[in-house]
Structure formats: structure tokens, C-alpha cells
Amino acid sequence: MKPLALERGGPFDGRVVIVTGHTGFKGSWLTEWLLMLGAQVVGIALPPPSSPSLFDQLGLASRIEHHILDICDREALSRLVRETQPDFVFHLAAQPLVRRSYSEPVETWATNVMGTTHVLDALRALGFDYRREGRHCTGVFITSDKCYENREWVYGYRENDALGGHDPYSASKAAAEIVIAAYRRSYFEASGERSSVGIAAVRAGNVIGGGDWAVDRIVPDCIRHLSAGAEIPVRNPWATRPWQHVLEPLGGYLQLAAAIDEALASYNQPRLRQLCSAFNFGPALNANQSVGVLVEEVLKYWPGSWLDESGGQAPHEASRLNLVSDKAFHELAWSWTWDFHQVVARTIRWYKEVAASPSEARRLTQADIRAYCAARAC
């Protein structure tokens, strides 16, 4: 299977695509990319979680069908999905922060588990209509690399490793994975009749890139403190993470969705069984670097200094994470494209150029997407 090309006329051109969580960092990048592919994007999310936000910097509200809606509102969500009649659904809406999950555990579980259940159930209802009409829909459900039971080992986690979680966030993502698998087996696997809905769950490493303004994430924290001429506080400099540019997993999600759509259209049951499952999208091994190394790499492009604050009291966070993405390589011909140094350099360049000229955010974002697609095609 060839990498997804950046061109109209492909599987998303003219198709209706729902993106939940489109006002967030990853959701905004995905929405911009889908627009470049010719998709008719319908966004469902809460208001942007930060100010500034990439969503506002890209001017997305006026360029898509934009809905402010809480996925915990089951009836409103189901009604909108049925009215929209999507060809694809990318579910990104979530409470995405580990430390916030400690202070808001109930809200985290409500959004990450029950919100995901509501999206799945809306697709279940849609599937009945589509089966009668001979149509189909592909759903890609984004969870997290933190859904695995963390052993703090040096080995990478594979899709069939045990799920679990120490903190409310990680546990909620593991629970969401169980819900997704249960819906797939109960409602979306063909049993004597043609499949109308195909769904997959995807787990990515730690993503960075221009336009992330979230509180309590290391790169936005770096940018805020560097912009103010202040030292960067680093609470866990020895923790390792699989850093990758946001476009890496998003490209995988798009490629997986396109493959499922093709298999549904041709009713290729063996292929659907392979694709409608869980997939990791992680970087090369040399991208597994400590937070301290990441900060030092950032300072190569935006000089400053950082302060080790690891001695303070802080909630538990995993010290070591690593993903194995062999399945994505074999099933989708997907693999990482930009190495650790390229990712950091491109990310900081985005922030520096937007700081100098805020109106350049859309052009820079589109330029990164084009550069990534060109590199993938090599």
C-alpha cells in the first residue's frame, strides 16, 4: 500500500468527515490536512482549550461545519451524526492531560470512556441506516500510548500487550479501548451480512509540533517561558517518551481510514479483520529521549535555560514509554519519516515564525503538511 498522497481526487475528496475534538491541537492539524485533501469537514468539540489556540490561528471556524457540542450529550451527538451522514469519523475528543486527570477524575472518565461510548453508539445507529442504503462509514478512534499497563521496561509495547493505567487518564484510555473492542465485536463485525461500519483504535507516541498551546505540556511550557525570557521549569527531566511530529500519527490515521474505506467498498472480509483492530503509530527508537534531552534540543533553536524541579511533590507519571509499530508497517506500509532532530527543529521554527508574524500560522502549517507528504513520497 502506497503512502497517502497530498492531492485531491483521493479517498477523502468530496467526502463528509466528522472530526471530534477538532478545536484541540491534533484535531486542528487533522482538520487542516483534511481540507487540503478536499474533505467536507464537520467538527464536533468543546470551545478551544487554550488562548491562543491553533484552531483560531488557522481560522477553522469559518472554513468547516463547526459545532460546539459536548460528546457527553448523547442525544445531541447521535442526532448530529445521523443528520451529517458521514463517510468517515475521526474521534479525538478527550480530556488529554495526565495531571488534570488527578484533579478531575470523574470528568476524565465521563469524557474519555462514556464520551467514546456515545460516539460508538451513534455509529451503531447509523450502521442500521447505511446497511439498508448500501453505504458504509469508517471510524478511527484515537486513544493513547498510555493505555498499556506500564511495566517501566525498555521494551516497546505491542498492540496485544496488556491494557491498564496507574492514573485516571491512563486507566480511562485503557477502558475506552475495551469499549471500542466490545462495540467492534458486538455490532461492527459482519455476521452473514455486508459490513456498513468499520472501526479501528489507534495509539500514538507523544506528539509535538507548532500550535500546541496546552497547559502542562513540555513544548508549550518551553515556548511560554522562552518568550518571557524565563527559565523553563522541568518537573521530570529523566522521563523518556517516544517523541514524534504530530503529522506522523495523523498520516497513519488517514492511511488506515483510507484502507478500511477501500475494504468496506469491496467487502474484503479478510482485509477488514486485519484493519479493524488496534494500531500503534510510534517513532524510531532514537526518538525515545528524556524530557531533559528534548528541552536541550529546543534550546539549540531558541536559546535559554531550564530549571530542574524534579525534587518537588508531584503525582505519579510513567517514567518510560515506547511503542512498537511493526503492525502499521506491515499492514499499511507506514513508518516514521522525520527523525528526532528534524521534529524539534521544525516545531520550534513554527513557533518562532508565528511569534514574529502571527498571520503566518496557516501558511506554515500547510507548508509543514506539504513537506511531510513530500518526504513520505521519497
Side-chain angles (χ1 to χ4, degrees), residues 131-173:
R131 192 172 291 117
R132 290 193 299 268
E133 299 165 8
R135 296 184 58 188
H136 61 266
C137 178
T138 297
V140 176
F141 286 72
I142 289 77
T143 63
S144 171
D145 59 347
K146 297 177 182 66
C147 70
Y148 294 107
E149 182 65 41
N150 192 284
R151 312 288 187 184
E152 299 291 0
W153 56 26
V154 296
Y155 313 108
Y157 295 96
R158 298 180 183 273
E159 289 86 351
N160 57 356
D161 279 326
L163 302 174
H166 181 284
D167 55 88
Y169 169 79
S170 301
S172 73
K173 288 299 188 177

Short mmCIF file of all heavy atoms in Angstrom, two decimals, residues 131-173:
data_model
loop_
_atom_site.label_atom_id
_atom_site.label_comp_id
_atom_site.label_asym_id
_atom_site.label_seq_id
_atom_site.Cartn_x
_atom_site.Cartn_y
_atom_site.Cartn_z
N ARG A 131 -26.77 0.15 6.20
CA ARG A 131 -26.91 -1.21 5.68
C ARG A 131 -28.07 -1.28 4.69
O ARG A 131 -27.98 -1.93 3.65
CB ARG A 131 -27.11 -2.19 6.83
CG ARG A 131 -26.98 -3.65 6.41
CD ARG A 131 -26.98 -4.59 7.60
NE ARG A 131 -25.76 -4.44 8.39
CZ ARG A 131 -25.72 -4.04 9.65
NH1 ARG A 131 -26.83 -3.73 10.29
NH2 ARG A 131 -24.58 -3.94 10.29
N ARG A 132 -29.16 -0.60 5.03
CA ARG A 132 -30.32 -0.57 4.11
C ARG A 132 -30.00 0.18 2.83
O ARG A 132 -30.50 -0.16 1.75
CB ARG A 132 -31.52 0.08 4.81
CG ARG A 132 -32.13 -0.74 5.92
CD ARG A 132 -33.47 -0.17 6.32
NE ARG A 132 -33.36 1.19 6.83
CZ ARG A 132 -33.20 1.51 8.12
NH1 ARG A 132 -33.11 0.54 9.02
NH2 ARG A 132 -33.11 2.76 8.49
N GLU A 133 -29.16 1.21 2.95
CA GLU A 133 -28.87 2.08 1.81
C GLU A 133 -27.66 1.62 1.01
O GLU A 133 -27.34 2.21 -0.04
CB GLU A 133 -28.62 3.51 2.31
CG GLU A 133 -29.81 4.13 3.03
CD GLU A 133 -29.43 5.37 3.82
OE1 GLU A 133 -28.27 5.82 3.68
OE2 GLU A 133 -30.27 5.88 4.58
N GLY A 134 -26.96 0.58 1.48
CA GLY A 134 -25.77 0.11 0.78
C GLY A 134 -24.59 1.05 0.91
O GLY A 134 -23.70 1.08 0.05
N ARG A 135 -24.56 1.81 2.02
CA ARG A 135 -23.45 2.73 2.26
C ARG A 135 -22.54 2.18 3.37
O ARG A 135 -22.85 1.17 3.98
CB ARG A 135 -24.00 4.11 2.69
CG ARG A 135 -24.82 4.81 1.63
CD ARG A 135 -25.23 6.19 2.13
NE ARG A 135 -24.06 7.01 2.46
CZ ARG A 135 -24.14 8.21 3.06
NH1 ARG A 135 -25.33 8.68 3.41
NH2 ARG A 135 -23.05 8.90 3.32
N HIS A 136 -21.44 2.88 3.60
CA HIS A 136 -20.56 2.47 4.69
C HIS A 136 -19.86 3.67 5.31
O HIS A 136 -19.80 4.75 4.71
CB HIS A 136 -19.52 1.44 4.21
CG HIS A 136 -18.61 1.95 3.14
ND1 HIS A 136 -18.87 1.76 1.79
CD2 HIS A 136 -17.44 2.64 3.20
CE1 HIS A 136 -17.91 2.30 1.09
NE2 HIS A 136 -17.02 2.85 1.91
N CYS A 137 -19.34 3.47 6.52
CA CYS A 137 -18.66 4.53 7.26
C CYS A 137 -17.46 3.92 7.97
O CYS A 137 -17.53 2.81 8.50
CB CYS A 137 -19.60 5.18 8.27
SG CYS A 137 -18.84 6.49 9.28
N THR A 138 -16.37 4.67 8.01
CA THR A 138 -15.15 4.25 8.69
C THR A 138 -14.92 5.12 9.91
O THR A 138 -14.97 6.35 9.82
CB THR A 138 -13.94 4.37 7.75
OG1 THR A 138 -14.11 3.48 6.65
CG2 THR A 138 -12.64 4.05 8.47
N GLY A 139 -14.66 4.49 11.06
CA GLY A 139 -14.37 5.23 12.28
C GLY A 139 -12.97 4.91 12.79
O GLY A 139 -12.60 3.74 12.91
N VAL A 140 -12.19 5.94 13.06
CA VAL A 140 -10.86 5.78 13.65
C VAL A 140 -10.90 6.44 15.02
O VAL A 140 -11.14 7.65 15.13
CB VAL A 140 -9.76 6.40 12.77
CG1 VAL A 140 -8.40 6.29 13.46
CG2 VAL A 140 -9.72 5.71 11.42
N PHE A 141 -10.67 5.65 16.06
CA PHE A 141 -10.79 6.11 17.44
C PHE A 141 -9.39 6.26 18.04
O PHE A 141 -8.65 5.29 18.17
CB PHE A 141 -11.63 5.13 18.26
CG PHE A 141 -13.09 5.22 17.95
CD1 PHE A 141 -13.59 4.74 16.75
CD2 PHE A 141 -13.98 5.81 18.84
CE1 PHE A 141 -14.94 4.84 16.43
CE2 PHE A 141 -15.33 5.92 18.54
CZ PHE A 141 -15.81 5.43 17.34
N ILE A 142 -9.06 7.49 18.40
CA ILE A 142 -7.72 7.81 18.89
C ILE A 142 -7.70 7.68 20.41
O ILE A 142 -8.48 8.34 21.11
CB ILE A 142 -7.31 9.23 18.48
CG1 ILE A 142 -7.04 9.29 16.97
CG2 ILE A 142 -6.08 9.69 19.24
CD1 ILE A 142 -8.23 9.32 16.07
N THR A 143 -6.83 6.81 20.92
CA THR A 143 -6.70 6.69 22.38
C THR A 143 -5.33 7.24 22.78
O THR A 143 -5.08 8.43 22.67
CB THR A 143 -6.94 5.25 22.86
OG1 THR A 143 -5.96 4.37 22.33
CG2 THR A 143 -8.33 4.78 22.47
N SER A 144 -4.40 6.38 23.24
CA SER A 144 -3.12 6.89 23.73
C SER A 144 -2.14 5.75 23.93
O SER A 144 -2.55 4.60 24.22
CB SER A 144 -3.33 7.62 25.06
OG SER A 144 -2.10 7.94 25.67
N ASP A 145 -0.84 6.05 23.84
CA ASP A 145 0.16 5.04 24.18
C ASP A 145 0.13 4.72 25.68
O ASP A 145 0.66 3.69 26.11
CB ASP A 145 1.56 5.50 23.77
CG ASP A 145 2.00 6.80 24.42
OD1 ASP A 145 1.15 7.51 24.99
OD2 ASP A 145 3.20 7.14 24.33
N LYS A 146 -0.50 5.57 26.46
CA LYS A 146 -0.58 5.34 27.91
C LYS A 146 -1.69 4.36 28.28
O LYS A 146 -1.92 4.11 29.47
CB LYS A 146 -0.77 6.67 28.63
CG LYS A 146 0.41 7.61 28.45
CD LYS A 146 0.18 8.96 29.12
CE LYS A 146 1.37 9.88 28.88
NZ LYS A 146 1.53 10.26 27.48
N CYS A 147 -2.36 3.77 27.28
CA CYS A 147 -3.40 2.78 27.58
C CYS A 147 -2.81 1.45 28.02
O CYS A 147 -3.52 0.60 28.56
CB CYS A 147 -4.31 2.57 26.38
SG CYS A 147 -3.53 1.71 24.98
N TYR A 148 -1.50 1.25 27.81
CA TYR A 148 -0.87 -0.01 28.20
C TYR A 148 -0.55 -0.03 29.69
O TYR A 148 -0.24 1.01 30.29
CB TYR A 148 0.41 -0.23 27.40
CG TYR A 148 0.19 -0.42 25.92
CD1 TYR A 148 0.51 0.57 25.00
CD2 TYR A 148 -0.37 -1.60 25.44
CE1 TYR A 148 0.29 0.39 23.65
CE2 TYR A 148 -0.59 -1.79 24.08
CZ TYR A 148 -0.27 -0.79 23.19
OH TYR A 148 -0.49 -0.97 21.85
N GLU A 149 -0.62 -1.22 30.28
CA GLU A 149 -0.16 -1.41 31.66
C GLU A 149 1.34 -1.18 31.68
O GLU A 149 2.11 -1.97 31.13
CB GLU A 149 -0.50 -2.82 32.14
CG GLU A 149 -0.11 -3.09 33.58
CD GLU A 149 -0.89 -2.24 34.56
OE1 GLU A 149 -2.12 -2.06 34.35
OE2 GLU A 149 -0.28 -1.77 35.53
N ASN A 150 1.76 -0.07 32.28
CA ASN A 150 3.16 0.34 32.18
C ASN A 150 4.05 -0.48 33.11
O ASN A 150 3.86 -0.47 34.33
CB ASN A 150 3.31 1.83 32.48
CG ASN A 150 4.68 2.33 32.09
OD1 ASN A 150 5.66 2.08 32.76
ND2 ASN A 150 4.75 3.03 30.97
N ARG A 151 5.02 -1.18 32.54
CA ARG A 151 5.95 -2.01 33.31
C ARG A 151 7.27 -1.31 33.57
O ARG A 151 8.15 -1.90 34.21
CB ARG A 151 6.23 -3.31 32.54
CG ARG A 151 5.01 -4.03 31.99
CD ARG A 151 4.18 -4.67 33.08
NE ARG A 151 3.10 -5.48 32.53
CZ ARG A 151 2.18 -6.10 33.25
NH1 ARG A 151 2.21 -5.98 34.57
NH2 ARG A 151 1.23 -6.81 32.68
N GLU A 152 7.43 -0.09 33.04
CA GLU A 152 8.69 0.65 33.16
C GLU A 152 9.87 -0.16 32.60
O GLU A 152 10.97 -0.13 33.10
CB GLU A 152 8.97 1.04 34.62
CG GLU A 152 7.91 1.94 35.25
CD GLU A 152 7.88 3.36 34.67
OE1 GLU A 152 8.67 3.66 33.77
OE2 GLU A 152 7.05 4.16 35.12
N TRP A 153 9.58 -0.91 31.51
CA TRP A 153 10.65 -1.69 30.91
C TRP A 153 11.17 -1.00 29.65
O TRP A 153 10.58 -0.04 29.15
CB TRP A 153 10.20 -3.12 30.62
CG TRP A 153 8.96 -3.28 29.74
CD1 TRP A 153 8.50 -2.41 28.80
CD2 TRP A 153 8.07 -4.40 29.74
NE1 TRP A 153 7.37 -2.91 28.20
CE2 TRP A 153 7.08 -4.14 28.75
CE3 TRP A 153 8.02 -5.59 30.45
CZ2 TRP A 153 6.05 -5.03 28.48
CZ3 TRP A 153 6.99 -6.47 30.17
CH2 TRP A 153 6.02 -6.19 29.20
N VAL A 154 12.31 -1.51 29.14
CA VAL A 154 12.93 -0.88 27.97
C VAL A 154 12.28 -1.34 26.67
O VAL A 154 12.49 -0.74 25.63
CB VAL A 154 14.45 -1.19 27.91
CG1 VAL A 154 15.16 -0.59 29.10
CG2 VAL A 154 14.71 -2.69 27.83
N TYR A 155 11.50 -2.40 26.73
CA TYR A 155 10.88 -2.94 25.52
C TYR A 155 9.68 -2.10 25.10
O TYR A 155 8.97 -1.54 25.93
CB TYR A 155 10.43 -4.39 25.76
CG TYR A 155 11.48 -5.24 26.43
CD1 TYR A 155 11.33 -5.64 27.74
CD2 TYR A 155 12.62 -5.62 25.73
CE1 TYR A 155 12.30 -6.41 28.36
CE2 TYR A 155 13.60 -6.38 26.34
CZ TYR A 155 13.44 -6.78 27.66
OH TYR A 155 14.41 -7.52 28.27
N GLY A 156 9.45 -2.06 23.79
CA GLY A 156 8.29 -1.34 23.30
C GLY A 156 7.01 -2.15 23.50
O GLY A 156 7.03 -3.38 23.51
N TYR A 157 5.89 -1.43 23.63
CA TYR A 157 4.59 -2.09 23.79
C TYR A 157 4.00 -2.39 22.42
O TYR A 157 4.04 -1.57 21.51
CB TYR A 157 3.64 -1.21 24.60
CG TYR A 157 4.11 -1.01 26.02
CD1 TYR A 157 4.84 0.12 26.39
CD2 TYR A 157 3.86 -1.97 27.00
CE1 TYR A 157 5.30 0.29 27.68
CE2 TYR A 157 4.31 -1.81 28.29
CZ TYR A 157 5.04 -0.68 28.63
OH TYR A 157 5.50 -0.53 29.91
N ARG A 158 3.43 -3.59 22.30
CA ARG A 158 2.75 -4.01 21.08
C ARG A 158 1.24 -4.00 21.30
O ARG A 158 0.77 -3.98 22.44
CB ARG A 158 3.21 -5.42 20.66
CG ARG A 158 4.70 -5.49 20.33
CD ARG A 158 5.12 -6.90 19.92
NE ARG A 158 6.55 -6.97 19.67
CZ ARG A 158 7.12 -6.70 18.51
NH1 ARG A 158 6.36 -6.34 17.48
NH2 ARG A 158 8.43 -6.79 18.36
N GLU A 159 0.52 -4.06 20.21
CA GLU A 159 -0.94 -3.91 20.28
C GLU A 159 -1.61 -4.98 21.13
O GLU A 159 -2.72 -4.75 21.64
CB GLU A 159 -1.53 -3.93 18.87
CG GLU A 159 -1.23 -2.70 18.03
CD GLU A 159 0.10 -2.76 17.29
OE1 GLU A 159 0.90 -3.70 17.55
OE2 GLU A 159 0.34 -1.87 16.46
N ASN A 160 -0.99 -6.13 21.28
CA ASN A 160 -1.61 -7.20 22.07
C ASN A 160 -1.09 -7.26 23.51
O ASN A 160 -1.38 -8.21 24.23
CB ASN A 160 -1.41 -8.56 21.39
CG ASN A 160 0.05 -8.90 21.16
OD1 ASN A 160 0.92 -8.09 21.44
ND2 ASN A 160 0.30 -10.10 20.65
N ASP A 161 -0.33 -6.26 23.94
CA ASP A 161 0.10 -6.21 25.34
C ASP A 161 -1.06 -5.78 26.24
O ASP A 161 -2.05 -5.19 25.77
CB ASP A 161 1.27 -5.23 25.51
CG ASP A 161 2.61 -5.86 25.13
OD1 ASP A 161 2.76 -7.08 25.35
OD2 ASP A 161 3.49 -5.15 24.62
N ALA A 162 -0.91 -6.07 27.52
CA ALA A 162 -1.99 -5.82 28.49
C ALA A 162 -2.30 -4.32 28.60
O ALA A 162 -1.39 -3.47 28.58
CB ALA A 162 -1.60 -6.36 29.85
N LEU A 163 -3.58 -4.03 28.71
CA LEU A 163 -4.03 -2.66 28.94
C LEU A 163 -4.07 -2.38 30.44
O LEU A 163 -4.18 -3.30 31.26
CB LEU A 163 -5.42 -2.45 28.35
CG LEU A 163 -5.56 -2.72 26.85
CD1 LEU A 163 -7.02 -2.63 26.43
CD2 LEU A 163 -4.71 -1.76 26.03
N GLY A 164 -4.00 -1.10 30.80
CA GLY A 164 -4.07 -0.75 32.22
C GLY A 164 -3.75 0.72 32.40
O GLY A 164 -3.67 1.48 31.44
N GLY A 165 -3.55 1.12 33.67
CA GLY A 165 -3.23 2.52 33.92
C GLY A 165 -3.16 2.83 35.39
O GLY A 165 -4.05 2.45 36.16
N HIS A 166 -2.10 3.53 35.79
CA HIS A 166 -1.93 3.92 37.19
C HIS A 166 -2.79 5.13 37.52
O HIS A 166 -3.45 5.17 38.56
CB HIS A 166 -0.44 4.25 37.45
CG HIS A 166 -0.13 4.64 38.85
ND1 HIS A 166 -0.43 5.88 39.36
CD2 HIS A 166 0.45 3.94 39.86
CE1 HIS A 166 -0.04 5.95 40.62
NE2 HIS A 166 0.51 4.78 40.94
N ASP A 167 -2.78 6.12 36.64
CA ASP A 167 -3.50 7.38 36.87
C ASP A 167 -4.86 7.34 36.18
O ASP A 167 -5.11 6.51 35.30
CB ASP A 167 -2.67 8.55 36.34
CG ASP A 167 -2.31 8.36 34.88
OD1 ASP A 167 -3.10 8.76 34.01
OD2 ASP A 167 -1.24 7.77 34.62
N PRO A 168 -5.78 8.24 36.56
CA PRO A 168 -7.12 8.24 35.95
C PRO A 168 -7.10 8.40 34.43
O PRO A 168 -7.89 7.76 33.73
CB PRO A 168 -7.83 9.40 36.63
CG PRO A 168 -7.15 9.53 37.95
CD PRO A 168 -5.72 9.19 37.69
N TYR A 169 -6.19 9.23 33.91
CA TYR A 169 -6.13 9.42 32.47
C TYR A 169 -5.79 8.11 31.76
O TYR A 169 -6.49 7.67 30.84
CB TYR A 169 -5.11 10.49 32.10
CG TYR A 169 -4.82 10.54 30.62
CD1 TYR A 169 -5.69 11.17 29.75
CD2 TYR A 169 -3.69 9.91 30.08
CE1 TYR A 169 -5.44 11.20 28.38
CE2 TYR A 169 -3.44 9.92 28.72
CZ TYR A 169 -4.32 10.56 27.87
OH TYR A 169 -4.09 10.57 26.53
N SER A 170 -4.67 7.49 32.17
CA SER A 170 -4.23 6.27 31.51
C SER A 170 -5.28 5.17 31.62
O SER A 170 -5.57 4.45 30.65
CB SER A 170 -2.91 5.79 32.13
OG SER A 170 -1.91 6.79 32.01
N ALA A 171 -5.86 5.03 32.82
CA ALA A 171 -6.88 4.00 33.02
C ALA A 171 -8.11 4.27 32.16
O ALA A 171 -8.73 3.34 31.63
CB ALA A 171 -7.28 3.93 34.50
N SER A 172 -8.46 5.54 31.99
CA SER A 172 -9.64 5.87 31.16
C SER A 172 -9.38 5.52 29.71
O SER A 172 -10.29 5.09 28.99
CB SER A 172 -9.98 7.36 31.30
OG SER A 172 -9.06 8.19 30.61
N LYS A 173 -8.15 5.66 29.25
CA LYS A 173 -7.82 5.30 27.86
C LYS A 173 -7.84 3.79 27.68
O LYS A 173 -8.27 3.29 26.63
CB LYS A 173 -6.47 5.89 27.48
CG LYS A 173 -6.49 7.41 27.29
CD LYS A 173 -7.43 7.82 26.19
CE LYS A 173 -7.35 9.28 25.85
NZ LYS A 173 -8.23 9.68 24.73
#
